[in-house]
Amino acid sequence: MFIATNRLFVPAERAEEFEAHFRSNMRTFLPGVPGLLRSTLLKPTKDDQPYVSVNEFESEEHFRAWVASDSFREAHKRNRGIARHVTGNAVETFQHAEDMVLPQQRTE
């Protein structure tokens, strides 16, 4: 598995509009991307924290193909509407090292 993240710093007063734009882009451009397993937008719990976009791919090759695709370019051209809400960002990539899924535990 190959994971690409993007930390997106958005002022609190622009958060609602940013989320709407980002969500729309995800739903429009990500379905059907070869090798994309999951895409998640994490919302910060404090104003000084960034949003984090997490995209999980089957492989780095699938990620690179997505970045080189017309669909990626179109999505990011449309991101100009999102970009006005972002004051900074940082893209990071990772190889999968470990995963643990726990059964649902009762808390009674």
mmCIF file of all heavy atoms in Angstrom, residues 1-2 34-35 57-68 95:
data_model
loop_
_atom_site.group_PDB
_atom_site.id
_atom_site.type_symbol
_atom_site.label_atom_id
_atom_site.label_comp_id
_atom_site.label_asym_id
_atom_site.label_seq_id
_atom_site.Cartn_x
_atom_site.Cartn_y
_atom_site.Cartn_z
ATOM 1 N N MET A 1 0.846 -1.176 0.000
ATOM 2 C CA MET A 1 0.000 0.000 0.000
ATOM 3 C C MET A 1 0.888 1.234 0.000
ATOM 4 O O MET A 1 1.948 1.249 0.616
ATOM 5 C CB MET A 1 -0.922 0.006 1.217
ATOM 6 C CG MET A 1 -1.886 1.163 1.221
ATOM 7 S SD MET A 1 -2.963 1.299 2.668
ATOM 8 C CE MET A 1 -3.617 -0.321 2.811
ATOM 9 N N PHE A 2 0.439 2.269 -0.684
ATOM 10 C CA PHE A 2 1.143 3.546 -0.751
ATOM 11 C C PHE A 2 0.161 4.634 -0.322
ATOM 12 O O PHE A 2 -0.983 4.655 -0.777
ATOM 13 C CB PHE A 2 1.623 3.813 -2.181
ATOM 14 C CG PHE A 2 2.500 5.018 -2.310
ATOM 15 C CD1 PHE A 2 3.831 4.963 -1.961
ATOM 16 C CD2 PHE A 2 1.980 6.211 -2.780
ATOM 17 C CE1 PHE A 2 4.650 6.079 -2.081
ATOM 18 C CE2 PHE A 2 2.784 7.330 -2.911
ATOM 19 C CZ PHE A 2 4.126 7.266 -2.567
ATOM 20 N N PRO A 34 -7.883 4.209 -10.914
ATOM 21 C CA PRO A 34 -7.265 2.883 -10.766
ATOM 22 C C PRO A 34 -6.319 2.826 -9.567
ATOM 23 O O PRO A 34 -5.480 3.710 -9.378
ATOM 24 C CB PRO A 34 -6.492 2.703 -12.074
ATOM 25 C CG PRO A 34 -7.202 3.571 -13.051
ATOM 26 C CD PRO A 34 -7.652 4.774 -12.246
ATOM 27 N N GLY A 35 -6.490 1.816 -8.746
ATOM 28 C CA GLY A 35 -5.603 1.589 -7.606
ATOM 29 C C GLY A 35 -5.911 2.401 -6.371
ATOM 30 O O GLY A 35 -5.294 2.190 -5.332
ATOM 31 N N PHE A 57 -3.431 4.117 -1.882
ATOM 32 C CA PHE A 57 -3.350 3.463 -3.187
ATOM 33 C C PHE A 57 -2.793 2.059 -3.029
ATOM 34 O O PHE A 57 -2.052 1.766 -2.084
ATOM 35 C CB PHE A 57 -2.421 4.254 -4.119
ATOM 36 C CG PHE A 57 -3.007 5.546 -4.601
ATOM 37 C CD1 PHE A 57 -2.893 6.696 -3.845
ATOM 38 C CD2 PHE A 57 -3.672 5.609 -5.808
ATOM 39 C CE1 PHE A 57 -3.430 7.896 -4.289
ATOM 40 C CE2 PHE A 57 -4.215 6.796 -6.261
ATOM 41 C CZ PHE A 57 -4.092 7.945 -5.493
ATOM 42 N N GLU A 58 -3.102 1.198 -3.989
ATOM 43 C CA GLU A 58 -2.544 -0.155 -4.000
ATOM 44 C C GLU A 58 -1.026 -0.120 -4.085
ATOM 45 O O GLU A 58 -0.350 -0.964 -3.497
ATOM 46 C CB GLU A 58 -3.100 -0.953 -5.176
ATOM 47 C CG GLU A 58 -4.552 -1.314 -5.025
ATOM 48 C CD GLU A 58 -5.092 -2.052 -6.234
ATOM 49 O OE1 GLU A 58 -4.295 -2.529 -7.077
ATOM 50 O OE2 GLU A 58 -6.325 -2.148 -6.351
ATOM 51 N N SER A 59 -0.488 0.853 -4.830
ATOM 52 C CA SER A 59 0.960 0.920 -5.028
ATOM 53 C C SER A 59 1.385 2.346 -5.342
ATOM 54 O O SER A 59 0.555 3.199 -5.700
ATOM 55 C CB SER A 59 1.379 0.016 -6.195
ATOM 56 O OG SER A 59 0.867 0.545 -7.411
ATOM 57 N N GLU A 60 2.678 2.590 -5.250
ATOM 58 C CA GLU A 60 3.205 3.901 -5.636
ATOM 59 C C GLU A 60 2.979 4.139 -7.130
ATOM 60 O O GLU A 60 2.721 5.275 -7.551
ATOM 61 C CB GLU A 60 4.696 3.994 -5.312
ATOM 62 C CG GLU A 60 5.276 5.359 -5.612
ATOM 63 C CD GLU A 60 6.706 5.533 -5.157
ATOM 64 O OE1 GLU A 60 7.270 4.623 -4.529
ATOM 65 O OE2 GLU A 60 7.265 6.615 -5.436
ATOM 66 N N GLU A 61 3.037 3.092 -7.926
ATOM 67 C CA GLU A 61 2.804 3.222 -9.364
ATOM 68 C C GLU A 61 1.384 3.738 -9.644
ATOM 69 O O GLU A 61 1.187 4.575 -10.525
ATOM 70 C CB GLU A 61 3.041 1.888 -10.082
ATOM 71 C CG GLU A 61 4.493 1.445 -10.073
ATOM 72 C CD GLU A 61 4.992 0.902 -8.730
ATOM 73 O OE1 GLU A 61 4.168 0.420 -7.903
ATOM 74 O OE2 GLU A 61 6.208 0.991 -8.489
ATOM 75 N N HIS A 62 0.399 3.230 -8.892
ATOM 76 C CA HIS A 62 -0.968 3.726 -9.055
ATOM 77 C C HIS A 62 -1.060 5.204 -8.676
ATOM 78 O O HIS A 62 -1.733 5.994 -9.351
ATOM 79 C CB HIS A 62 -1.952 2.909 -8.211
ATOM 80 C CG HIS A 62 -2.279 1.584 -8.797
ATOM 81 N ND1 HIS A 62 -1.731 0.420 -8.331
ATOM 82 C CD2 HIS A 62 -3.086 1.249 -9.824
ATOM 83 C CE1 HIS A 62 -2.199 -0.593 -9.043
ATOM 84 N NE2 HIS A 62 -3.028 -0.113 -9.960
ATOM 85 N N PHE A 63 -0.382 5.588 -7.601
ATOM 86 C CA PHE A 63 -0.372 6.993 -7.188
ATOM 87 C C PHE A 63 0.255 7.862 -8.271
ATOM 88 O O PHE A 63 -0.304 8.891 -8.654
ATOM 89 C CB PHE A 63 0.395 7.150 -5.864
ATOM 90 C CG PHE A 63 0.700 8.582 -5.525
ATOM 91 C CD1 PHE A 63 -0.300 9.438 -5.084
ATOM 92 C CD2 PHE A 63 1.992 9.073 -5.633
ATOM 93 C CE1 PHE A 63 -0.014 10.769 -4.765
ATOM 94 C CE2 PHE A 63 2.283 10.394 -5.324
ATOM 95 C CZ PHE A 63 1.282 11.242 -4.889
ATOM 96 N N ARG A 64 1.411 7.449 -8.779
ATOM 97 C CA ARG A 64 2.111 8.225 -9.821
ATOM 98 C C ARG A 64 1.261 8.340 -11.084
ATOM 99 O O ARG A 64 1.232 9.394 -11.723
ATOM 100 C CB ARG A 64 3.471 7.611 -10.135
ATOM 101 C CG ARG A 64 4.394 7.528 -8.940
ATOM 102 C CD ARG A 64 5.234 8.758 -8.762
ATOM 103 N NE ARG A 64 6.007 8.632 -7.528
ATOM 104 C CZ ARG A 64 6.118 9.598 -6.639
ATOM 105 N NH1 ARG A 64 5.539 10.749 -6.847
ATOM 106 N NH2 ARG A 64 6.817 9.427 -5.547
ATOM 107 N N ALA A 65 0.562 7.267 -11.443
ATOM 108 C CA ALA A 65 -0.313 7.301 -12.614
ATOM 109 C C ALA A 65 -1.453 8.299 -12.397
ATOM 110 O O ALA A 65 -1.837 9.034 -13.313
ATOM 111 C CB ALA A 65 -0.862 5.907 -12.915
ATOM 112 N N TRP A 66 -2.004 8.337 -11.192
ATOM 113 C CA TRP A 66 -3.070 9.290 -10.877
ATOM 114 C C TRP A 66 -2.555 10.723 -11.003
ATOM 115 O O TRP A 66 -3.182 11.575 -11.621
ATOM 116 C CB TRP A 66 -3.622 9.015 -9.491
ATOM 117 C CG TRP A 66 -4.343 10.153 -8.798
ATOM 118 C CD1 TRP A 66 -4.016 10.679 -7.592
ATOM 119 C CD2 TRP A 66 -5.500 10.879 -9.223
ATOM 120 N NE1 TRP A 66 -4.889 11.688 -7.249
ATOM 121 C CE2 TRP A 66 -5.809 11.838 -8.245
ATOM 122 C CE3 TRP A 66 -6.298 10.822 -10.354
ATOM 123 C CZ2 TRP A 66 -6.869 12.716 -8.341
ATOM 124 C CZ3 TRP A 66 -7.367 11.709 -10.460
ATOM 125 C CH2 TRP A 66 -7.644 12.636 -9.454
ATOM 126 N N VAL A 67 -1.361 10.991 -10.455
ATOM 127 C CA VAL A 67 -0.790 12.337 -10.507
ATOM 128 C C VAL A 67 -0.539 12.763 -11.960
ATOM 129 O O VAL A 67 -0.652 13.945 -12.294
ATOM 130 C CB VAL A 67 0.500 12.412 -9.663
ATOM 131 C CG1 VAL A 67 1.243 13.717 -9.872
ATOM 132 C CG2 VAL A 67 0.158 12.244 -8.178
ATOM 133 N N ALA A 68 -0.220 11.808 -12.837
ATOM 134 C CA ALA A 68 0.050 12.108 -14.243
ATOM 135 C C ALA A 68 -1.214 12.134 -15.112
ATOM 136 O O ALA A 68 -1.134 12.430 -16.301
ATOM 137 C CB ALA A 68 1.038 11.082 -14.799
ATOM 138 N N GLN A 95 5.011 4.510 2.761
ATOM 139 C CA GLN A 95 4.797 3.096 2.484
ATOM 140 C C GLN A 95 4.115 2.503 3.716
ATOM 141 O O GLN A 95 4.399 2.900 4.846
ATOM 142 C CB GLN A 95 6.134 2.364 2.243
ATOM 143 C CG GLN A 95 6.841 2.791 1.001
ATOM 144 C CD GLN A 95 6.166 2.292 -0.260
ATOM 145 O OE1 GLN A 95 5.379 1.358 -0.246
ATOM 146 N NE2 GLN A 95 6.459 2.939 -1.368
#
